[in-house]
Amino acid sequence: MAAIVVSLASSFAVSSSSSPSLLFARFRAASTSSFRLSFAVSPFFNSKRGKLMAHTLARATLGLTQPANIDVPKIAFAAKDIDAVEWKGDILAVGVTEKDMAKDENSKFQNSILERLDAQLSGLLAEASSEEDFTGKSGQSVVLRLPGIGSKRVGLIGLGQSASTPTAFQGLGEAVAAAAKAAQASNVGIVLASSEGLSAESKLTTASAIASGTVLGIHDDTRYKSESKKTALKSVDILGLGSGPELDKKLKYAEDVSCGIIFGRELVNSPANVLTPAVLAHEALKIASAYSDVISATILDAEQCKELKMGSYLGVAAASANPPHFIHLCYKPVGGPAKTKLALVGKGLTFDSGGYNIKTGPGCSIELMKFDMGGSAAVLGAAKAIGQIKPPGVEVHFIVAACENMISGTGMRPGDIVTASNGKTIEVNNTDAEGRLTLADALVYACNQGVEKIVDLATLTGACVIALGPSIAGVFTPSDDLAKEVIAASELSGEKLWRMPLEESYWESMKSGIADMVNTGGRPGGAITAALFLKQFVDEKVQWMHIDMAGPVWNDKKKAATGFGISTLVEWVLTNSS
């Protein structure tokens, strides 16, 4: 198994007898899943730093809050070619369009599956759907306990006028999960009323989307609640979309990606008094240890970042009592060299106060600034999924410059000039435009890994939310080829991206009289000038895309994280896999 290389600035304590020349700890998974510790020699480390960092992670959180250890629900998915009428279980859920609900002059269903079910139920299904005014509109659902078939209950889930997108079928899975929760069902069957027109490939993606929606819908993040309910759902059978190894593989893929999304959601949901930069780094280490055959980890502390001249990143981190941790996971495929090298870079502000330009007034959302590490959650969630899927032929670097943006006497001031690791100088005219400062050094570091393509994700600007609303992320890239790749991946994942212009003339507002640039321009085109700023730190030979996900990172209605970006990133990595 490959070693997990971790700077001792991480969460693992070093004994006082350790040699002062130790820099790296190497962890190798034993067959019992325990870990053995060995050390490599370097003249740059002392044990005092290691113990300090271990203490940083181990100390009690403000408010004494600790998340409960709650396992992600394990659901067994199976694709079966059996008649829905014959299926036995707790709930048979039927996904129906408005067209499927059409009835003849005798109030009988014209759809063949609904007609057979209704006949078996002596007409009660048609009668009950009419009484409940169920027409198949998107968002409608009705669950009926009717005798006469193998299933204890029959559920009708509305898909709207038509259903052909991953989003629609994920919604079906989520609605089924809600029905299963309400009925405390342990097994569910899912069938589409109309699946005859689907191609073989469409059946695979449809089954995958249904499975993903079910897993994500059944999961509730109750780690910070004093009480939590256990999920009853144990198995889901997907009916009428075929069966066999290809479909089973696709269902397993959906489970792996969903696991990554849940992980990402839990990271974003965690409050800043729990999820510090050190804890985020520790979560990254846990990914590397779980998939040590393909993922290695390097965690750099402030001193090591200083050696790499990351002045822009360190300037942001300077005010916080919680030290920065620079996270680098590297996925290398089993069984041969990679033909393509990619980097995923995520903004990792575990809390953003705004600094001296503090967030104040209505709409500033300072109480939600725990989600300012949503980009890093997307990157690490993708790393978790990639570690499980193990795509061949592609090397992937997952990079996060984790820190907090706080206020103190040691902090960065408006008007200060910081120097990034590529030598460019930045006049900080707004300390609340800190994410781009951390990303600057992260992007330089990513380019130095020899990658061909970079995608960065960040909750970067309110301007992008104003432009595109709460559910669409803006994408900025000078590369048409990369834009096509990532947008195609998003269409498979069901996540919404919209390409925005990189208007070079707007760079005029980013010029400084005394440094190479300022970190913010005027209010007009704020998302564009932010992207133009990041472009200054990317090698011209590297294809690069910036995704501003400030809107879709959070669901205001559910008051919870969405896990946005993870599914698209995984799809994109697989596109580049041989």
Side-chain angles (χ1 to χ4, degrees):
M1 288 187 175
I4 303 168
V5 183
V6 184
S7 159
L8 283 177
S10 73
S11 58
F12 296 89
V14 183
S15 69
S16 59
S17 61
S18 298
S19 165
S21 65
L22 300 177
L23 173 60
F24 291 114
R26 297 181 185 269
F27 299 86
R28 292 187 183 271
S31 59
T32 59
S33 297
S34 61
F35 292 92
R36 292 184 285 108
L37 200 59
S38 61
F39 298 102
V41 177
S42 170
F44 302 113
F45 182 76
N46 61 65
S47 60
K48 181 178 178 182
R49 185 195 300 171
K51 287 192 282 188
L52 174 64
M53 292 304 177
H55 172 72
T56 299
L57 186 70
R59 70 187 181 189
T61 61
L62 184 151
L64 305 182
T65 301
Q66 290 294 340
N69 290 319
I70 298 175
D71 292 331
V72 175
K74 297 291 185 183
I75 302 171
F77 286 91
K80 296 182 178 179
D81 258 336
I82 61 171
D83 192 333
V85 177
E86 302 298 324
W87 183 83
K88 290 179 172 59
D90 291 330
I91 300 176
L92 175 66
V94 187
V96 297
T97 64
E98 293 177 47
K99 184 180 177 181
D100 294 330
M101 291 302 296
K103 296 170 186 173
D104 62 20
E105 63 275 7
N106 297 316
S107 298
K108 300 292 184 183
F109 288 114
Q110 295 177 315
N111 176 273
S112 60
I113 288 180
L114 293 178
E115 181 186 22
R116 289 203 311 278
L117 281 171
D118 194 42
Q120 203 68 18
L121 294 166
S122 304
L124 291 175
L125 186 60
E127 182 180 324
S129 64
S130 295
E131 288 178 358
E132 296 288 337
D133 197 27
F134 180 87
T135 60
K137 289 181 180 177
S138 179
Q140 281 189 320
S141 63
V142 59
V143 179
L144 308 164
R145 189 173 185 114
L146 300 172
I149 59 173
S151 175
K152 295 176 184 177
R153 294 176 178 85
V154 177
L156 298 178
I157 312 295
L159 298 174
Q161 291 186 346
S162 63
S164 58
T165 65
T167 303
F169 295 120
Q170 285 170 6
L172 171 59
E174 290 174 5
V176 170
K181 284 181 192 175
Q184 283 294 291
S186 63
N187 47 71
V188 171
I190 305 174
V191 65
L192 297 179
S194 298
S195 60
E196 302 83 17
L198 294 176
S199 66
E201 183 62 31
S202 294
K203 287 181 178 180
L204 291 175
T205 56
T206 298
S208 176
I210 292 171
S212 177
T214 305
V215 173
L216 298 176
I218 210 71
H219 176 256
D220 289 320
D221 190 357
T222 58
R223 294 169 301 145
Y224 297 98
K225 294 185 177 181
S226 56
E227 295 181 5
S228 61
K229 292 181 179 179
K230 286 192 175 181
T231 301
L233 188 61
K234 296 291 186 287
S235 66
V236 174
D237 293 336
I238 296 178
L239 313 175
L241 293 177
S243 60
E246 278 297 307
L247 196 45
D248 291 341
K249 183 179 177 182
K250 198 69 175 178
L251 292 175
K252 176 63 168 60
Y253 170 81
E255 291 179 68
D256 291 341
V257 176
S258 297
C259 185
I261 293 172
I262 288 171
F263 175 70
R265 286 180 176 181
E266 290 187 345
L267 288 178
V268 178
N269 285 338
S270 290
N273 61 324
V274 173
L275 192 81
T276 62
V279 173
L280 186 62
H282 182 57
E283 292 297 328
L285 291 176
K286 285 160 68 176
I287 294 171
S289 66
Y291 309 106
S292 58
D293 57 332
V294 288
I295 296 180
S296 61
T298 303
I299 309 296
L300 305 179
D301 66 11
E303 283 301 313
Q304 291 162 313
C305 291
K306 187 177 178 180
E307 290 167 12
L308 293 176
K309 303 186 185 302
M310 295 184 179
S312 186
Y313 165 48
L314 293 175
V316 176
S320 179
N322 289 309
H325 286 67
F326 192 95
I327 301 163
H328 177 200
L329 302 183
C330 179
Y331 167 85
K332 291 187 178 181
V334 175
K339 295 180 179 178
T340 307
K341 292 185 179 182
L342 310 175
L344 303 177
V345 179
K347 177 182 171 183
L349 269 291
T350 58
F351 187 75
D352 177 21
S353 71
Y356 278 106
N357 293 106
I358 191 169
K359 296 178 185 290
T360 58
C364 74
S365 300
I366 191 170
E367 74 283 0
L368 288 176
M369 283 303 109
K370 64 180 183 179
F371 73 40
D372 215 19
M373 42 64 64
S376 68
V379 166
L380 295 179
K384 186 176 180 68
I386 292 297
Q388 293 179 85
I389 296 165
K390 296 178 174 53
V394 61
E395 179 177 306
V396 191
H397 297 263
F398 306 89
I399 296 166
V400 175
C403 65
E404 294 180 329
N405 185 25
M406 301 297 284
I407 302 171
S408 78
T410 63
M412 184 174 63
R413 295 149 295 218
D416 284 357
I417 294 176
V418 296
T419 304
S421 47
N422 65 347
K424 292 189 177 181
T425 58
I426 307 155
E427 181 184 0
V428 180
N429 61 1
N430 189 329
T431 61
D432 195 22
E434 82 302 325
R436 64 196 71 182
L437 296 174
T438 67
L439 287 168
D441 283 325
L443 287 168
V444 173
Y445 182 94
C447 289
N448 289 339
Q449 306 311 307
V451 300
E452 299 149 45
K453 303 174 188 178
I454 297 174
V455 173
D456 80 69
L457 301 92
T459 48
L460 205 65
T461 68
C464 202
V465 184
I466 298 301
L468 297 177
S471 60
I472 304 172
V475 300
F476 302 80
T477 178
S479 169
D480 291 340
D481 290 340
L482 185 56
K484 289 175 184 175
E485 281 185 15
V486 177
I487 289 172
S490 75
E491 289 170 352
L492 290 172
S493 73
E495 295 178 324
K496 296 178 181 178
L497 303 181
W498 190 262
R499 190 176 182 185
M500 302 284 277
L502 269 174
E503 179 53 55
E504 291 290 345
S505 66
Y506 289 7
W507 183 248
E508 194 66 28
S509 69
M510 299 292 288
K511 291 181 178 178
S512 166
I514 53 174
D516 292 332
M517 68 196 82
V518 292
N519 69 324
T520 60
R523 285 176 62 84
I528 298 172
T529 54
L532 289 171
F533 177 91
L534 297 179
K535 186 171 178 279
Q536 310 308 306
F537 303 92
V538 180
D539 191 308
E540 290 182 355
K541 297 176 183 177
V542 177
Q543 293 184 59
W544 159 77
M545 172 183 281
H546 162 60
I547 300 180
D548 192 330
M549 52 181 282
V553 69
W554 190 256
N555 185 317
D556 280 324
K557 185 176 179 180
K558 295 181 179 179
K559 295 181 170 56
T562 61
F564 185 89
I566 295 168
S567 183
T568 295
L569 292 181
V570 175
E571 289 283 0
W572 179 62
V573 169
L574 265 62
T575 299
N576 284 273
S577 170
S578 60

